[in-house]
């Protein structure tokens, strides 16, 4: 029976290691020595760079220096672009990160599953979602595509924007033959003529440039709260236990937003962002001819656009079975950090809190999916 | 199940042995329950066996499970059949002809190393996104282990057999029927078994990445929704199916070995 | 006999090249021509069948920047470490199960049940339990390498011929000596087959887990980032590199196993 006990021990050791890792991570918060922020990363020439605001914060170096003053180490957790939502949610669940700069829909899913995170710095107006058809297609709007085949990556933030487009036109997702394909497979399917339309992000322009597709609709034509959002979330426990550390992080992101939002830095931002592989020209078009001004695009304010957007995301997720419990959207926001960041940076009046007012209210009543 | 084989391997067995077999699975289950009840891990990370069972039951009752399963098994069946057959033909040619080996060897060896998943965009362009495409993915995965085993088996036919065949002036068909097949069946069947296992692995991976149905897709959606219970249902189910496929093939293998020795 | 004639013609043509090693280049060249033809068919085709000059340019740029070599190094490194850990564990488990009956009865059922779960099926669970970093990738690769090695070791040892064992008994070898001098050498071919299979699975799993999670390093990660940026030329470069790197690993291991088995040829 010797082997049995040996095997037992091995198994016990394995299990307790798992336990230990988790406990260690859970207790790590008691004395902050390290802050772990997850952000979408890309590799360029053997170095890791980060997308969006996280990239600006990283290059600026202010956050690292400020945390260093308090003997706190800043660790960027690089997340590959292909499965941002699931990876970050899993990392939040097993306590391997404290903050993350990522999307709206996964955040709602995470909170619906009982893991409390809070939005501390809104990321501005967000990214556009595009509807692309083959170059020879006669379809002019989503209505022309009824009953046709559409490629979309389900469960990703852009699904919500697409859902709103459908709802606004009195359509349902079941009115289409939906193929759940990731953006790469989706593009290939569109190109090969296997689908009649493809819902995606700014890579739509790359398809247009290669004469492989034609954009017939984008969230640029819709309410500003239709865009897909990505912003700074933190675990509730970390925020509650270490509000002063959280404040430094929030200030860093507000500072980055301020830097980016100045017209003088627009080109610098685009050129840096293009290192991720998206051509600068594509990014330029993603940002141009939009109803949002460059400055407002980066507004970190908790305005109606933010809350209305999340209300729609929560309703959509519930309606489509992505979550089983209702999410109280207002509880997801922790507004105090942005306010004091703006104060400390003397930017209180830089951005105007856009009470989306009638415009959005009208949009919401008309466009929010019927529950 | 596996038991039959191992009981053969070990000459005698007792009640104690049979009981011992259940110890480790039960122990694992007990630890799982204990770990769950200690609440050391958050419920999003570890669900109880009961919750997994309930999730499985719900999926079964809604008919979802069966639909996914049907899709996956269909793809597996067709892909495995096509890929395995192609592998058998190709392997025979490669093993039997120096020319074919010289011509195709390097290309074949390079392609063998490329995971099927990497071909997905190109395959979509050629085969579309329908079932054909998924069958091709599986077929591609099924092809190589069979080809590898067949090449080795055909090459492994002793020289003396060739001499015998020449002495008896066997026709090509007779040569294949009388000598090649009997000499190569056991390793080739093993190749088929590995191929089936690998097809199953690749199918699940492909479904995780690009599909709208199938067990892999069910798991991926579960993962996205943080429904660890659904993921676990997938793990248990895919494991069980893999076990059954492997067991079936092993039965076939031992039958064939018996048939060969007769 | 017409077939024979054609074959002879082909053979004659091939002999023209004089070097049979060069024959191996014929098929790749034909494939390249086909590729090139397809890439010029239409815009749609050139999306996946990237024109060859573009692939070449991408390849050169990647080599120059050191990105490709860095990624290839990362992938090979991970595959080898995972292979070493996994196959060692597999060897130990396989030997235990083959030599000790209690171990076979005890570990066996769990082992055979777990090994049937498709590798990628573990990813969601491993991602949650061990995080999405390198630990998980290493775990996945080791797990992939463990099962084939365990299985082949087990079968190799169980099929050791009885007469060899009897020789051992005659020489009154201790259990350990018997294992090292008789069982292990005669199980070696099977163990090495296991190692080769383990490599195949480890390689699949390294690339697969790089594609499905992890930190974006390695060839799989590079391929995925290129895909996201719609750089199909880079994707193709990555696919080819994965093939070549795998080929190098595989032939290295084959050499090693031939070297280890050289005594059998003599015997």
């Amino acid at each position: 029976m010797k082997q049995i006990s040996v095997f037992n021990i091995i198994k016990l050791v394995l299990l307790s290691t798992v336990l230990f890792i988790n406990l260690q991570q859970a207790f790590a918060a008691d004395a902050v020595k390290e802050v772990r922020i997850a952000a979408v990363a890309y590799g360029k020439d053997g170095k890791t760079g980060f997308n969006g605001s996280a990239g600006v914060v990283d290059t600026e170096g202010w956050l690292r220096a400020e945390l260093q003053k308090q003997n706190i180490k800043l660790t960027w957790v690089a997340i590959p672009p292909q499965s941002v939502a699931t990876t970050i949610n899993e990392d939040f669940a097993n306590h391997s990160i404290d903050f993350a700069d990522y999307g709206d829909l996964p955040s709602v899913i995470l909170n619906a599953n009982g893991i409390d995170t809070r939005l501390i710095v809104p990321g501005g107006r967000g990214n556009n979602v595009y509807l692309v058809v083959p170059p020879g297609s006669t379809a002019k709007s989503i209505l022309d595509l009824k009953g046709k085949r559409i490629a979309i990556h389900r469960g990703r933030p852009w699904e919500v924007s697409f859902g709103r487009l459908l709802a606004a036109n009195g359509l349902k997702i079941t009115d289409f033959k939906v193929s759940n394909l990731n953006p790469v497979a989706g593009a290939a399917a569109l190109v090969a003529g296997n689908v009649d339309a493809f819902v995606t992000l700014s890579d739509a322009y790359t398809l247009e440039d290669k004469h492989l597709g034609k954009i017939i609709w984008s969230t640029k034509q819709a309410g500003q709260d239709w865009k897909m959002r990505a912003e700074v979330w933190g675990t509730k426990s970390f925020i509650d236990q270490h509000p002063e550390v959280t404040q430094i992080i929030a200030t860093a992101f507000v500072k980055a937003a301020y830097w980016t939002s100045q017209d003088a830095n627009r080109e610098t931002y685009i050129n840096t962002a293009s290192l991720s592989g998206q051509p600068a020209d594509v990014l330029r078009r993603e940002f141009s001819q939009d109803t949002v001004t460059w400055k407002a695009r980066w507004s970190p304010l908790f305005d109606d656009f933010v809350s209305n957007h999340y209300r729609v995301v929560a309703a959509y997720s519930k309606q489509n079975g992505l979550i089983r419990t209702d999410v109280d959207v207002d509880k997801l926001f922790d507004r105090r950090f942005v306010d004091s960041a703006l104060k400390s940076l003397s930017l209180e009046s830089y951005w105007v809190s856009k009470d989306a007012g009638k415009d959005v209210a009208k949009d919401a009543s008309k466009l929010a999916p019927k529950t | 199940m596996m038991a039959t084989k191992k009981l053969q391997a070990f000459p005698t067995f007792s009640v104690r042995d049979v009981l011992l077999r259940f110890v480790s699975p039960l122990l694992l289950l007990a630890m799982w329950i204990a770990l769950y009840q200690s609440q050391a891990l958050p419920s999003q990370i570890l669900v109880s066996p009961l919750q997994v069972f309930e999730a499985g039951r719900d999926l079964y009752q809604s008919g979802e499970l069966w639909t996914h399963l049907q899709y996956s098994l269909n793809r597996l069946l067709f892909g495995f059949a096509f890929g395995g057959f192609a592998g058998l033909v190709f392997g025979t040619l490669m093993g039997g002809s120096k020319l074919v080996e010289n011509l195709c060897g390097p290309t074949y060896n390079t392609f063998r190393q490329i995971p099927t998943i990497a071909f997905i965009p190109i395959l979509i362009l050629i085969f579309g996104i329908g079932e054909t495409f998924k069958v091709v993915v599986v077929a591609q995965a099924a092809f190589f282990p069979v080809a590898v085993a067949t090449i080795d088996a055909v090459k492994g036919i002793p020289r003396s057999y060739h001499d015998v065949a020449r002495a008896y002036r066997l026709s090509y068909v007779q040569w294949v029927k009388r000598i090649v097949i009997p000499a190569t069946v056991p390793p080739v069947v093993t190749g088929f078994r590995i191929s089936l296992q690998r097809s199953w692995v690749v199918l699940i991976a492909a479904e995780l990445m690009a599909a709208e149905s199938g067990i892999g897709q069910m798991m991926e959606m579960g993962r996205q929704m943080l429904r660890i219970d659904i993921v676990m249902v997938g793990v248990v189910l895919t494991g069980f199916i893999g076990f059954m496929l492997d067991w079936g093939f092993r039965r076939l293998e031992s039958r064939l070995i018996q048939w060969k020795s007769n | 006999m017409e077939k024979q004639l054609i074959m002879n013609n082909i053979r004659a043509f091939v002999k023209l090249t004089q070097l049979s090693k060069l024959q191996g280049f014929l098929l790749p060249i034909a494939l390249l021509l086909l590729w090139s033809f397809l890439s010029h068919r239409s815009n749609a085709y050139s999306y996946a069948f990237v024109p060859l000059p573009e692939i070449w340019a991408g390849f050169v740029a990647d080599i120059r920047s050191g990105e490709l070599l860095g990624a290839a190094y990362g992938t090979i490194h991970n595959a080898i470490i995972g292979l070493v850990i996994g196959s060692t564990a597999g060897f130990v488990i396989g030997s235990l199960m083959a030599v000790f009956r209690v171990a076979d009865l005890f570990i066996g059922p769990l082992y055979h049940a777990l090994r049937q779960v498709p590798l990628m099926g573990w990813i969601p669970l491993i991602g949650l339990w061990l995080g999405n970093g390198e630990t998980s990738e290493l775990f996945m690769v080791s797990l992939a390498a463990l099962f084939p090695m365990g299985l082949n070791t087990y079968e190799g040892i169980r099929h050791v011929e009885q007469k060899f064992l009897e020789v051992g008994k005659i020489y009154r070898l201790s259990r350990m000596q018997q294992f090292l001098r008789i069982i292990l050498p005669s199980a070696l071919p099977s163990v090495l087959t296991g190692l080769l299979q383990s490599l195949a699975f480890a390689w699949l799993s390294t690339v697969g887990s790089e594609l499905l999670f992890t930190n974006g390093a390695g060839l799989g990660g590079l391929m995925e980032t290129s895909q996201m940026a719609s750089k199909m030329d880079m994707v193709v470069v990555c696919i080819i590199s994965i093939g070549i790197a795998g080929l190098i690993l595989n032939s290295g291991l084959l050499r090693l196993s031939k070297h280890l088995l050289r005594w059998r040829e003599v015997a």
Side-chain angles (χ1 to χ4, degrees), chain A residues 142-150 171-178 196:
Chain A
I142 188 70
L143 287 165
D144 299 333
L145 291 164
K146 194 173 174 186
K148 299 277 177 60
R149 297 160 301 174
I150 292 194
L171 297 164
K172 290 186 302 292
I173 203 145
T174 45
D175 289 332
F176 302 88
K177 290 179 200 133
V178 173
D196 303 299

Side-chain angles (χ1 to χ4, degrees), chain B residues 61-138:
Chain B
Q61 281 172 349
S62 69
E64 216 178 312
L65 194 67
W66 183 234
T67 319
H68 286 308
L69 200 60
Q70 267 178 319
Y71 273 110
S72 292
L73 290 177
N74 267 329
R75 288 166 193 159
L76 183 73
L77 183 75
F78 284 104
F80 173 69
F82 286 127
F85 181 71
L88 189 67
V89 172
F90 180 76
T92 316
L93 289 173
M94 280 278 283
S97 155
K98 196 79 196 151
L99 179 72
V100 177
E101 196 192 351
N102 281 339
L103 279 174
C104 306
T107 315
Y108 155 81
N109 277 316
T110 313
F111 272 90
R112 192 152 73 89
Q113 306 301 332
I114 305 176
T116 318
I117 308 162
F119 286 114
I120 287 178
I122 289 174
L123 293 179
I124 285 182
L125 200 61
I126 305 174
F127 299 102
I129 46 167
E131 287 305 297
T132 324
F133 152 70
K134 281 142 207 155
V135 168
V136 169
V137 170
V138 179

Side-chain angles (χ1 to χ4, degrees), chain A residues 86-98:
Chain A
T86 34
T87 309
I88 290 183
N89 275 353
E90 283 167 7
D91 285 350
F92 267 132
N94 66 23
H95 306 292
S96 53
I97 52 172
D98 307 306

Side-chain angles (χ1 to χ4, degrees), chain A residues 311-330:
Chain A
R311 250 182 282 284
V312 173
V313 172
Y316 181 88
S317 314
K318 182 77 192 301
Q319 193 189 2
N320 286 278
L322 294 168
I323 56 177
R324 285 171 294 177
T325 46
D326 282 311
V327 174
D328 182 358
V329 170
D330 292 314

Side-chain angles (χ1 to χ4, degrees), chain B residues 176-199:
Chain B
V176 170
K177 215 165 118 187
R178 298 250 181 99
I179 296 182
V180 177
I181 291 180
T184 53
V185 156
V188 169
V189 173
T190 310
F192 268 101
R193 181 165 53 76
I194 294 171
S195 148
L196 186 61
Q197 218 177 341
R198 198 155 159 181
S199 308

Side-chain angles (χ1 to χ4, degrees), chain A residues 19 21 29 88 97 100 127 132 139 154 157 178 186 216 269 282 295 312 340 360 362 365:
Chain A
L19 246 175
I21 292 170
I88 290 183
I97 52 172
N127 299 79
V132 193
R154 301 290 310 267
V178 173
I216 58 164
Y269 174 81
V282 166
K295 185 175 155 190
V312 173
S340 76
V360 161
K362 198 176 70 197
S365 63

Side-chain angles (χ1 to χ4, degrees), chain A residues 303-352:
Chain A
D303 46 26
D304 289 357
F305 288 116
V306 183
S307 41
N308 187 56
H309 180 86
Y310 275 94
R311 250 182 282 284
V312 173
V313 172
Y316 181 88
S317 314
K318 182 77 192 301
Q319 193 189 2
N320 286 278
L322 294 168
I323 56 177
R324 285 171 294 177
T325 46
D326 282 311
V327 174
D328 182 358
V329 170
D330 292 314
K331 265 167 65 186
L332 298 178
F333 307 143
D334 202 333
R335 300 164 191 256
R336 53 197 158 142
F337 301 105
V338 168
D339 289 345
S340 76
L342 289 170
K343 209 167 285 165
S344 70
L345 297 167
S346 317
L347 293 172
E348 291 115 307
S349 52
Y350 181 73
W351 283 288
V352 188

